[in-house]
């Protein structure tokens, strides 16, 4: 074993630069997950049974099949149906939709924790359905689940290297290329691993702080 | 319309066989690691707790694919060269084991303190207390969590295709590369086959969750 500092410092900038793209893609995919997750939650609660059933089936199917294969499906197979996408769009959509199924479960647990009296009170006040959802139910059900949502941001971040398989964010490929050119895989892969560790560790500390803050707010309003 | 599916199915099933083998092998590693790390995290020895926390944070803090590449490509620098199968199984086991160790720890800590106190009052040794009183109750709480981890593990196995192991995803990619017009058939089949492998696990988890919701170990 020989860890070569000079070599590590030389290749560091090239690998570090990808971090910004990783962060950008993570947040874009997360936005998709948050929004589409809400759509799934409403779909599953729909009074129109077939819609509720189809949504339920979709969630189970997407949740239990590999994101890597879903990525291949979206990027390689959908064009045969006439749906062609840029690789970045395909990557962001696939990750976003995959995690929207998890996010919708989080929303669901938040919504189910709202006491029935809140629905009844909204009805008594003659609120419309939209008003009840956006003024009464969601503002109460989302804050308590924010830490759980934050965790999925971390999980999604850790899944981004998958996009290398369709030529996006190929820093693993780059690390592999550096490795095969210099016969030393240790430094490039260790650097990539450490970059991930530092980023996810610091964001998990941020989420914990947020969690503590939320708890304080929660206590105060009670 | 059905013709392409009949043509590609035998090769895909060969890959599915490999995928199931990886799933079973890595599940065994995952559960073993989960117990070792889960118990390590609540150990009375500070050193054991420290080492376990370090392991769990490393594997939960980095990406599974990065870990797999590191173990497959970078470990040989230390003189340890692993076959793709072994590298895949070890990475999957260590990664999901780190997550599952939290399930073990959470379940053990969910057992009321009175149980431990009662066991101490009955003059049971630490070992007896764990194996006869705490674990039998905690394992029932762990089961739904383990089920969910196994589904995640199945999804994770698809990554071994990227370190050249001929699993289900890999076979699909080979067929697709030799016959581009089968692209759609291949990937829709892959999704369905993965779902069919997961289906028994999904049903099992639902059953276990329902049973747990009714109240176990109260």
């Amino acid at each position: 074993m020989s860890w070569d500092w000079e070599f590590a410092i030389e290749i560091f900038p090239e690998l570090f630069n990808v971090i910004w793209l990783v962060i950008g893609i993570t947040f874009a995919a997360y936005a998709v997950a948050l929004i589409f997750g809400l759509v799934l939650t409403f779909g599953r609660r729909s009074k129109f049974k077939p819609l509720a059933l189809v949504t339920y089936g979709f969630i189970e199917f997407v949740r239990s099949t590999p994101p890597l294969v879903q990525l291949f499906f979206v990027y390689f197979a959908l064009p045969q149906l006439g749906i062609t996408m840029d690789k970045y769009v395909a990557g962001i959509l696939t990750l976003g939709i995959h995690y929207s199924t998890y996010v919708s479960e989080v929303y669901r647990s938040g919504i189910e924790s709202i006491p029935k009296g809140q629905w009844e009170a909204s009805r008594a006040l003659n609120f419309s359905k939209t008003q009840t959802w956006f003024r009464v139910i969601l503002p109460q059900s989302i804050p308590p689940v924010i830490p759980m949502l934050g965790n999925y941001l971390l999980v999604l971040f850790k899944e981004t290297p998958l996009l290398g398989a369709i030529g996006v964010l190929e820093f693993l490929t780059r690390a592999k290329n550096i490795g095969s050119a210099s016969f030393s895989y240790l430094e490039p892969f260790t650097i990539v691993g450490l970059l991930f560790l530092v980023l996810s560790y610091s964001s998990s500390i941020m989420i914990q702080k947020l969690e503590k803050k939320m708890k304080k707010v929660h206590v105060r309003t009670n | 319309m059905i013709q392409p599916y009949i043509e590609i199915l035998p090769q895909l099933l060969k890959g599915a066989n490999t995928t199931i083998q990886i799933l079973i092998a890595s599940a065994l590693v995952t559960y073993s690691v989960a117990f070792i790390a889960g118990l390590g995290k609540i150990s009375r020895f500070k050193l054991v707790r420290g080492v376990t926390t370090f392991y769990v944070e490393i594997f939960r803090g980095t990406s599974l694919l990065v870990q797999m590449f590191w173990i497959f490509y970078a470990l040989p620098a230390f003189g340890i060269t692993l076959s793709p199968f072994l590298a895949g199984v070890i990475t999957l086991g260590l990664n999901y084991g780190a997550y599952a160790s939290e399930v073990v720890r959470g379940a053990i800590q969910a057992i009321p303190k009175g149980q431990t106190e009662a066991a101490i009052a009955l003059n049971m040794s630490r070992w007896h207390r764990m194996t006869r009183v705490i674990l039998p109750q905690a394992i029932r709480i762990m089961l739904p969590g383990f089920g969910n981890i196994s589904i995640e593990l199945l999804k994770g196995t698809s990554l071994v295709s990227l370190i050249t192991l001929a699993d289900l995803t890999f076979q699909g990619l080979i067929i697709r590369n030799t016959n581009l017009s089968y692209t759609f058939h291949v990937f829709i089949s892959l999704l369905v086959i993965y779902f069919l492998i997961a289906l028994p696990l999904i049903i099992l988890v639902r059953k276990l969750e329902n049973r747990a919701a009714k109240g176990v170990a109260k």
Side-chain angles (χ1 to χ4, degrees):
Chain A
M1 184 206 96
S2 52
W3 173 268
D4 186 347
W5 277 109
E6 237 170 76
F7 178 55
I9 291 164
E10 187 191 314
I11 60 173
F12 186 79
E14 196 187 337
L15 295 171
F16 183 80
N17 269 335
V18 194
I19 283 295
W20 303 112
L21 195 56
V22 174
I23 293 173
I25 286 183
T26 305
F27 279 106
Y30 192 59
V32 173
L34 288 183
I35 295 165
F36 196 65
L38 203 57
V39 174
L40 289 178
T41 309
F42 284 130
R44 203 172 158 182
R45 291 181 66 92
S46 167
K47 287 216 177 74
F48 181 54
K49 275 276 142 64
L51 178 64
L53 224 75
V54 167
T55 316
Y56 175 66
F58 178 84
I59 291 175
E60 284 292 343
F61 190 83
V62 171
R63 251 173 77 113
S64 37
T65 49
L68 179 64
V69 181
Q70 291 167 2
L71 191 63
F72 288 143
F73 180 80
V74 169
Y75 190 59
F76 295 129
L78 281 188
Q80 287 203 325
L81 300 182
I83 308 167
T84 311
M85 274 180 253
D86 173 72
K87 58 186 177 181
Y88 288 92
V89 177
I92 289 168
L93 272 186
T94 309
L95 280 186
I97 290 177
H98 188 86
Y99 283 99
S100 72
T101 59
Y102 289 85
V103 166
S104 86
E105 293 287 299
V106 175
Y107 287 147
R108 198 167 67 108
S109 72
I111 291 167
E112 279 171 3
S113 71
I114 303 294
K116 251 198 172 160
Q118 302 276 339
W119 293 95
E120 286 157 8
S122 310
R123 211 115 64 7
L125 288 170
N126 210 11
F127 276 10
S128 73
K129 244 191 164 175
T130 327
Q131 275 176 320
T132 310
W133 271 110
F134 287 94
R135 298 258 175 96
V136 182
I137 305 300
L138 289 180
Q140 293 184 83
S141 48
I142 292 183
V145 296
I146 282 180
M148 253 151 92
L149 291 178
N151 269 337
Y152 282 117
L153 177 64
L154 284 184
V155 176
L156 209 159
F157 165 69
K158 279 176 266 174
E159 290 279 305
T160 52
L162 280 189
L163 302 199
I166 57 164
V168 183
L169 284 176
E170 61 287 288
F171 54 99
L172 281 176
T173 322
R174 238 181 270 181
K176 209 162 95 184
N177 289 343
I178 294 173
S180 59
S182 59
F183 300 108
S184 181
Y185 289 100
L186 179 63
E187 291 87 353
F189 282 125
T190 307
I191 290 173
V192 172
L194 287 177
L195 286 176
F196 263 90
L197 196 61
V198 168
L199 269 177
S200 71
Y201 206 68
S202 47
S203 25
S204 84
I205 289 171
M206 262 159 50
I207 289 170
Q208 270 169 22
K209 276 200 178 143
L210 187 71
E211 200 172 340
K212 266 186 199 151
K213 231 184 188 173
M214 301 295 308
K215 259 188 199 150
K216 268 187 206 150
V217 174
H218 207 65
V219 170
R220 220 175 286 149
T221 50
N222 281 344
Chain B
M1 234 186 87
I2 279 230
Q3 186 57 30
Y5 294 103
I6 296 172
E7 231 169 276
I8 62 178
L9 203 59
Q11 197 175 341
L12 289 183
L13 288 181
K14 212 168 72 186
N17 183 26
T18 311
T19 290
I20 291 172
Q21 281 176 23
I22 297 167
L23 176 65
I24 292 171
S26 51
L28 291 176
V29 180
T30 298
Y31 303 150
S32 321
V33 167
F35 271 100
I36 296 168
L39 290 170
K41 241 190 156 172
I42 50 171
S43 160
R44 59 190 152 149
F45 301 110
K46 210 173 173 185
L47 182 71
V48 178
R49 284 204 306 270
V51 170
T52 322
T53 308
F54 181 73
Y55 150 72
V56 171
E57 293 297 329
I58 291 275
F59 275 88
R60 296 206 323 171
T62 55
S63 170
L64 172 60
L65 189 58
V66 175
Q67 290 157 20
M68 203 176 277
F69 274 46
W70 198 88
I71 286 183
F72 188 63
Y73 289 108
L75 260 195
F78 296 90
I80 305 167
T81 308
L82 299 171
S83 69
F85 185 89
L86 215 52
V89 165
I90 289 176
T91 320
L92 288 167
L94 287 176
N95 181 284
Y96 288 99
Y99 287 95
S101 74
E102 294 291 300
V103 174
V104 172
R105 187 182 59 92
I108 290 175
Q109 286 176 342
I111 304 297
K113 269 233 169 83
Q115 303 274 339
T116 307
E117 286 157 9
I120 293 172
L122 288 170
N123 209 14
M124 281 186 174
S125 69
R126 279 184 80 88
W127 173 254
H128 269 165
R129 206 194 308 155
M130 217 19 144
T131 54
R132 300 255 174 101
V133 181
I134 308 292
L135 279 183
Q137 300 181 71
I139 285 173
R140 299 175 76 178
I141 304 177
M142 289 172 208
L143 287 177
F146 274 1
N148 274 324
I149 294 245
S150 310
I151 298 173
E152 294 295 318
L153 187 57
L154 168 65
K155 286 157 56 179
T157 60
S158 66
L159 298 191
V160 298
S161 64
L162 301 176
I163 55 167
T164 70
L165 187 57
D167 75 325
L168 182 52
T169 306
F170 192 83
Q171 297 288 4
L173 287 170
I174 289 182
I175 301 174
R176 191 241 166 198
N177 286 340
T178 46
N179 193 341
L180 283 180
S181 64
Y182 281 177
T183 305
F184 185 81
H185 307 101
V186 165
F187 289 120
I188 196 78
S189 308
L190 284 187
L191 289 173
V192 171
I193 296 173
Y194 272 109
F195 185 67
L196 289 179
I197 300 175
L199 203 56
L201 288 168
I202 298 171
I203 294 168
L204 193 71
V205 169
R206 279 285 122 74
K207 271 195 183 149
L208 291 168
E209 273 171 353
N210 285 340
R211 208 167 65 182
K214 273 184 206 145
V216 178
K218 277 243 166 101

